[in-house]
Amino acid sequence: MADYDYDVLFIGAGPGGYVGAIRAAQAGLKTACVEARETLGGTCLNVGCIPSKALLHGSELFEEAAGGTLAKYGIKTGKVELDLAKMQAEKDDAVKGLTGGIEYLFKKNKVDWIKGYATFKDAGTVEVAGKAYTARDIVIATGSSVTPLPGVEVDNDKGIVVDSTGALALDRVPNHLVVIGGGVIGLELGSVWRRLGAKVTVVEFLDQLLPGMDGDIRKEAARIFKKQGMALKLSTKVTGVSVKGKTATLTVEPSAGGAAETIEADCVLVAIGRRPNVTGLGLENIGLELNGRGQIETDHDFATKVDGVWAVGDVIPGPMLAHKAEDEGIAVAENIAGLTGIVNHAVIPGVVYTMPEFAGVGLTEEAAREAGHEIKVGKFPMMANSRAKTNGEPDGFVKVIADAKTDRVLGAWMIASLAGTMVAQVAQAMEFGATSEDIAYTCHAHPTHSEAIKEAAMAVQGKPIHI
Ligand code: NAD
């Protein structure tokens, strides 16, 4: 039997790679993880989920204090001022704590961190910083990076045309921020800077925000973000951005073609999607080809076509979400260890962490119909949920989609201040094959936002109580 340095080596220490490496080590495998960044945790912990949530939380507190929500409850704050440097320092602290935590977990589980970029020499060997490492199994978990917009140059250091990394590190509140792309990143980071005082314009190519979410949710998202003061230019494409001094001029035109116009801004955020990180991996050295979307294809076990080479997370098809990558990391480690690792890709929740939050799991109404399901839909507005109403959070609703014949829940979509937390119960119910009746007859604590899920499930049978 061949002699290897490691049983398994993960390339990339984002949620797919670091979680997979820990699980592999737990399963008794000699494990290494290659990561070039100074800190572990990948995009999620360093320049994605975590820092954005720190700024979302901070900016929400600022808006509550400055915007009068606290005053409504008789809390007098005096003049509220923003110390952006402090808010940014708090964000950096959150990132430092969590990335350091992964380093601790690697040590605890005896996962070796090999620092540098890995390039395949053959299917069982990678070279990192001039040194070769062999492993019986190698997992590609290199994640993704920002998709560039042709003709638009991002310069995060200057802070005028930025991507999500730059938008997390601005040292000033822009006067006018134009966000290119009305997806998750655009709306989360657009919300941060709007709350802190920027005028925000979102330019979206499609006729609705939040592609991939249920149609009713997308329609309501446009209404809510407009009400919050964002300007939305839907069905509009950006054809160019030029920068002179501290001013950017965007040229936009209707997506379907038509007269061009210009918009001036002192900050432009390019957020039109992400693409898999495969450059420099030396995939040609192992004969691994990409699909038409630049992704690595795997089978259900996350094995690629090359023996001993596996892939998980944003480099393979599916939603580019940290929790999907984590679950795939665990599954691939278990498969390599000879156990059975499975991810149910039909039940991957998605959340937009604005206020209110937008969340969903399973099929949208449109996808359910397209798949040929005869469906029943139950809806319940947050306005009629006692807790949300009392908290002054009237926006949003819960929508449960069930198969008309079997009553099995096919999907659920929601807008609520706590939607990101609420959606977990539907995901779990769906994993157990729940019907809408199962959810409707599950006792939910009162008063909670989650009761809206129970009521929406009751509405599937036409029998909600509080509306
Ligand atoms: P996205 O795919 O969510 O949205 C990009 C948007 O840009 C789309 O609506 C698209 O129609 C639009 N667009 C594309 N080209 C355009 C153009 N030329 N002009 C105007 N609009 C254009 O991508 P994102 O927001 O950049 O996020 C990237 C990835 O990161 C996503 O896969 C997302 O799931 C993930 N992410 C997730 C979270 C979360 O789960 N909360 C947060 C941040 C990022």
Side-chain angles (χ1 to χ4, degrees):
M1 206 170 113
D3 205 11
Y4 296 101
D5 297 328
Y6 292 99
D7 294 320
V8 57
L9 178 145
F10 283 79
I11 306 176
Y18 90 71
V19 169
I22 291 172
R23 175 59 111 231
Q26 286 173 342
L29 300 177
K30 189 174 181 215
T31 307
C33 185
V34 184
E35 173 58 56
R37 208 187 281 268
E38 288 299 306
T39 44
L40 300 171
T43 297
C44 170
L45 270 73
N46 288 282
V47 288
C49 321
I50 297 304
S52 62
K53 262 76 262 173
L55 292 185
L56 278 160
H57 183 60
S59 62
E60 197 181 322
L61 295 176
F62 177 77
E63 190 176 43
E64 278 183 15
T69 318
L70 294 185
K72 190 175 150 207
Y73 286 88
I75 302 162
K76 295 184 183 171
T77 47
K79 187 164 183 266
V80 177
E81 283 177 71
L82 175 67
D83 181 346
L84 182 58
K86 178 81 184 77
M87 193 179 281
Q88 290 287 21
E90 186 60 26
K91 174 204 77 182
D92 293 341
D93 217 40
V95 170
K96 195 166 164 224
L98 290 174
T99 55
I102 310 292
E103 208 170 330
Y104 161 78
L105 289 174
F106 268 17
K107 283 190 187 129
K108 183 180 162 209
N109 287 285
K110 299 192 175 53
V111 174
D112 286 349
W113 174 7
I114 302 172
K115 295 186 185 180
Y117 289 95
T119 304
F120 279 99
K121 293 288 137 194
D122 59 50
T125 313
V126 293
E127 191 177 289
V128 185
K131 199 170 169 233
Y133 298 86
T134 58
R136 194 188 60 218
D137 290 289
I138 298 180
V139 184
I140 303 168
T142 44
S144 60
S145 35
V146 173
T147 305
L149 183 57
V152 178
E153 200 180 320
V154 166
D155 186 342
N156 286 332
D157 289 339
K158 286 206 185 111
I160 297 173
V161 182
V162 296
D163 58 20
S164 51
T165 302
L168 286 168
L170 296 178
D171 58 5
R172 68 189 200 287
V173 177
N175 291 315
H176 185 199
L177 169 68
V178 174
V179 178
I180 308 177
V184 192
I185 292 181
L187 294 171
E188 288 187 359
L189 293 179
S191 292
V192 165
W193 296 107
R194 182 199 57 72
R195 292 169 188 169
L196 297 180
K199 174 185 171 200
V200 175
T201 303
V202 177
V203 183
E204 166 56 47
F205 184 83
L206 301 173
D207 61 352
Q208 286 295 352
L209 303 170
L210 295 174
M213 289 207 145
D214 184 87
D216 284 342
I217 296 274
R218 298 176 72 189
K219 250 183 255 154
E220 188 63 5
R223 198 190 66 77
I224 289 173
F225 288 114
K226 259 193 230 159
K227 194 174 85 177
Q228 293 181 353
M230 273 190 196
L232 304 182
K233 283 185 95 60
L234 303 176
S235 303
T236 305
K237 68 178 170 200
V238 174
T239 53
V241 180
S242 64
V243 180
K244 225 184 208 169
K246 290 189 184 309
T247 305
T249 305
L250 295 94
T251 314
V252 301
E253 61 181 51
S255 302
E261 56 171 317
T262 57
I263 310 174
E264 287 203 345
D266 57 336
C267 192
V268 177
L269 163 60
V270 181
I272 59 163
R274 298 180 64 84
R275 59 182 186 182
N277 287 333
V278 287
T279 314
L281 270 175
L283 298 183
E284 62 285 0
N285 298 336
I286 55 170
L288 187 56
E289 285 178 4
L290 304 175
N291 68 14
R293 304 188 63 199
Q295 299 159 324
I296 297 171
E297 294 279 350
T298 68
D299 65 12
H300 200 62
D301 294 334
F302 307 103
T304 70
K305 288 212 170 83
V306 178
D307 226 21
V309 178
W310 313 67
V312 296
D314 287 6
V315 283
I316 72 170
M320 290 180 163
L321 296 171
H323 43 277
K324 171 217 177 234
E326 281 187 46
D327 286 6
E328 289 176 350
I330 289 175
V332 78
E334 291 179 348
N335 288 328
I336 289 169
L339 307 166
T340 305
I342 294 171
V343 176
N344 179 4
H345 286 102
V347 184
I348 307 275
V351 182
V352 186
Y353 296 90
T354 47
M355 179 53 78
E357 294 176 340
F358 297 72
V361 62
L363 296 178
T364 61
E365 181 174 342
E366 297 77 26
R369 289 190 195 284
E370 206 169 301
H373 289 284
E374 201 185 308
I375 58 171
K376 271 191 172 176
V377 174
K379 270 196 209 171
F380 189 80
M382 294 313 291
M383 180 82 106
N385 170 273
S386 59
R387 186 67 181 279
K389 194 165 161 49
T390 306
N391 286 7
E393 299 161 342
D395 282 332
F397 58 86
V398 175
K399 171 174 178 178
V400 171
I401 302 159
D403 186 283
K405 288 196 197 94
T406 64
D407 192 35
R408 196 171 166 146
V409 176
L410 300 172
W413 296 87
M414 54 204 77
I415 305 175
S417 60
L418 299 179
T421 307
M422 290 157 64
V423 73
Q425 76 147 287
V426 184
Q428 193 156 45
M430 286 177 70
E431 278 292 344
F432 282 84
T435 60
S436 78
E437 191 182 50
D438 289 329
I439 296 179
Y441 283 96
T442 297
C443 187
H444 286 61
H446 174 78
T448 57
H449 294 72
S450 296
E451 287 173 288
I453 295 179
K454 178 186 171 94
E455 291 268 13
M458 291 165 116
V460 171
Q461 308 303 328
K463 292 178 192 149
I465 297 291
H466 290 95
I467 189 131

